[in-house]
Amino acid sequence: MKEVSFIRQNIEKWKSLEKIVDHASAHNPGELADAYTEITTDLSFSRAHYPKSRITIYLNNLASALHNQLYKNKKEKYSRFITFWTHEIPEVMYRSQRELLYSFLVFTLSVLIGVLSAVNDESFVRLILGNGYVDMTLNNIESGDPMGVYDTSGELPMFLRIVFNNIGVSFRAFAMGILTGFGTGFILFFNGVMVGSFQTFFFQHQVGWESVLTIWLHGTFEISAIIIAGAAGFALGNGWLFPGTYSRKYAFLQGAKRGLKIITGLIPVFIVAGFIESYLTRHTEYPVFIRLSIILFSLICVICYYIILPQLRHNGKSKKQN
């Protein structure tokens, strides 16, 4: 790569790193460490290709300044546990906005495919959900308890089974990103088709509204988490496919680090979703107002924490730097 192209491609990033040095107190140690890793990677590239260039001297000075700030701010004002949830997760979600959008679009398209397939072919639901599950649900509908499947086992065993299953799904969605994102897309596609056909099945048997109030009581958190886990998988895949000026190995490791943070941040969401499904969803006798309120509150929590808060954190940080 020509030196001028290298500079043009990275100059904006270096300017932002300069601002981080100037306002180091506004950043947590994790962000300083990430910034230091980025600049030292560029410095290594510059030393190898332009050893006598001014840009190498500039990057060396910037790396030294970041190094000093990193160790000066080694003591955290808050514990790492707190800053992980209040700063690092919002930061990594802001950096993953594009992947989150891709994940949402893939899942939404898959849901629509599931809906259209179930509408045009009644046997499609059996293909996706299995004959046993469909027959059991039909029996529940005939007996006047369409959501009876959520009351077939004790609360605690059901809670543990659901939480571990959902965490497993999220990790698979992330890990499949190693297949350049196509693996993650397949996980999202399959789950989206299943949700779309499953929901359509209940509307076809005149219990659609009851199914919405029941399924989305826990499904709001659960499905949102799967979509966010898909963003983690795409982050991993993008690091592998689009390394930019970095080595493919380094970009892949950075994508993996970002994805792991996202997945770790989802564990409480799956725990809450599992609790709701095990202890609350089975109570279909609860008033519509209460169930609808839980659904709306869950949706607001997801939107605020994973979309609005990252934007606010980023905007606040930008104002401090300016």
Side-chain angles (χ1 to χ4, degrees), residues 124-235:
F124 182 77
V125 176
R126 291 183 177 275
L127 176 66
I128 298 298
L129 301 177
N131 289 324
Y133 187 86
V134 171
D135 291 336
M136 177 188 65
T137 304
L138 288 173
N139 290 332
N140 289 337
I141 293 174
E142 291 177 2
S143 63
D145 186 19
M147 299 293 111
V149 66
Y150 295 105
D151 193 22
T152 56
S153 62
E155 287 94 340
L156 183 58
M158 186 176 181
F159 168 74
L160 294 174
R161 184 178 69 252
I162 289 170
V163 169
F164 283 110
N165 176 71
N166 289 340
I167 291 175
V169 171
S170 70
F171 270 96
R172 284 195 296 274
F174 164 62
M176 291 293 278
I178 201 170
L179 302 177
T180 64
F182 289 105
T184 297
F186 174 78
I187 297 290
L188 290 169
F189 179 80
F190 178 78
N191 281 275
V193 169
M194 186 166 58
V195 169
S197 59
F198 183 61
Q199 191 68 82
T200 302
F201 172 75
F202 286 106
F203 275 98
Q204 289 173 326
H205 291 83
Q206 289 74 52
V207 287
W209 177 240
E210 176 61 29
S211 72
V212 168
L213 290 174
T214 303
I215 296 169
W216 291 96
L217 198 67
H218 60 273
T220 304
F221 275 130
E222 190 174 273
I223 298 303
S224 297
I226 291 175
I227 293 173
I228 296 168
F234 285 136

Side-chain angles (χ1 to χ4, degrees), residues 32-142:
L32 292 176
D34 287 342
Y36 181 69
T37 301
E38 286 194 24
I39 199 62
T40 51
T41 300
D42 288 345
L43 176 59
S44 297
F45 183 89
S46 184
R47 280 175 174 169
H49 295 84
Y50 330 110
K52 298 181 180 180
S53 170
R54 288 185 179 181
I55 195 62
T56 301
I57 298 174
Y58 163 78
L59 292 174
N60 185 69
N61 292 336
L62 184 56
S64 297
L66 270 169
H67 180 274
N68 293 336
Q69 290 295 343
L70 178 62
Y71 283 92
K72 184 187 296 183
N73 291 276
K74 200 170 183 180
K75 293 183 179 179
E76 298 184 46
K77 189 176 180 180
Y78 304 102
S79 71
R80 177 65 187 276
F81 180 80
I82 295 175
T83 57
F84 178 79
W85 300 104
T86 59
H87 290 80
E88 293 186 40
I89 294 298
E91 173 67 20
V92 79
M93 288 309 303
Y94 179 82
R95 292 164 54 197
S96 304
Q97 287 180 324
R98 183 176 58 182
E99 289 88 352
L100 182 60
L101 176 61
Y102 293 161
S103 183
F104 175 78
L105 292 176
V106 170
F107 188 85
T108 301
L109 178 62
S110 305
V111 170
L112 294 176
I113 291 174
V115 170
L116 293 174
S117 299
V119 168
N120 291 288
D121 184 358
E122 293 184 0
S123 65
F124 182 77
V125 176
R126 291 183 177 275
L127 176 66
I128 298 298
L129 301 177
N131 289 324
Y133 187 86
V134 171
D135 291 336
M136 177 188 65
T137 304
L138 288 173
N139 290 332
N140 289 337
I141 293 174
E142 291 177 2

Side-chain angles (χ1 to χ4, degrees), residues 2-48:
K2 291 183 178 180
E3 183 178 356
V4 65
S5 299
F6 175 67
I7 296 173
R8 188 182 301 116
Q9 191 169 1
N10 294 284
I11 187 63
E12 293 302 322
K13 178 180 67 176
W14 297 334
K15 288 180 179 178
S16 68
L17 294 178
E18 286 181 12
K19 292 180 180 179
I20 290 177
V21 173
D22 294 337
H23 302 86
S25 60
H27 300 270
N28 64 62
E31 292 170 334
L32 292 176
D34 287 342
Y36 181 69
T37 301
E38 286 194 24
I39 199 62
T40 51
T41 300
D42 288 345
L43 176 59
S44 297
F45 183 89
S46 184
R47 280 175 174 169

Side-chain angles (χ1 to χ4, degrees), residues 154-316:
E155 287 94 340
L156 183 58
M158 186 176 181
F159 168 74
L160 294 174
R161 184 178 69 252
I162 289 170
V163 169
F164 283 110
N165 176 71
N166 289 340
I167 291 175
V169 171
S170 70
F171 270 96
R172 284 195 296 274
F174 164 62
M176 291 293 278
I178 201 170
L179 302 177
T180 64
F182 289 105
T184 297
F186 174 78
I187 297 290
L188 290 169
F189 179 80
F190 178 78
N191 281 275
V193 169
M194 186 166 58
V195 169
S197 59
F198 183 61
Q199 191 68 82
T200 302
F201 172 75
F202 286 106
F203 275 98
Q204 289 173 326
H205 291 83
Q206 289 74 52
V207 287
W209 177 240
E210 176 61 29
S211 72
V212 168
L213 290 174
T214 303
I215 296 169
W216 291 96
L217 198 67
H218 60 273
T220 304
F221 275 130
E222 190 174 273
I223 298 303
S224 297
I226 291 175
I227 293 173
I228 296 168
F234 285 136
L236 179 64
N238 285 345
W240 179 255
L241 278 177
F242 309 110
T245 60
Y246 303 118
S247 69
R248 196 172 299 278
K249 178 182 177 182
Y250 174 79
F252 174 75
L253 291 175
Q254 287 298 104
K257 180 180 178 181
R258 184 153 54 104
L260 278 173
K261 279 189 178 182
I262 295 173
I263 292 298
T264 303
L266 285 174
I267 291 177
V269 179
F270 282 126
I271 291 175
V272 173
F275 177 84
I276 294 174
E277 185 171 357
S278 304
Y279 290 90
L280 300 180
T281 299
R282 64 181 63 215
H283 293 288
T284 55
E285 75 277 6
Y286 284 172
V288 171
F289 172 76
I290 292 178
R291 293 195 282 171
L292 190 58
S293 296
I294 293 174
I295 293 172
L296 292 176
F297 178 74
S298 301
L299 182 61
I300 290 171
C301 287
V302 171
I303 292 174
C304 286
Y305 186 71
Y306 287 99
I307 299 176
I308 296 177
L309 180 60
Q311 187 66 54
L312 292 176
R313 286 284 187 194
H314 177 78
N315 292 342

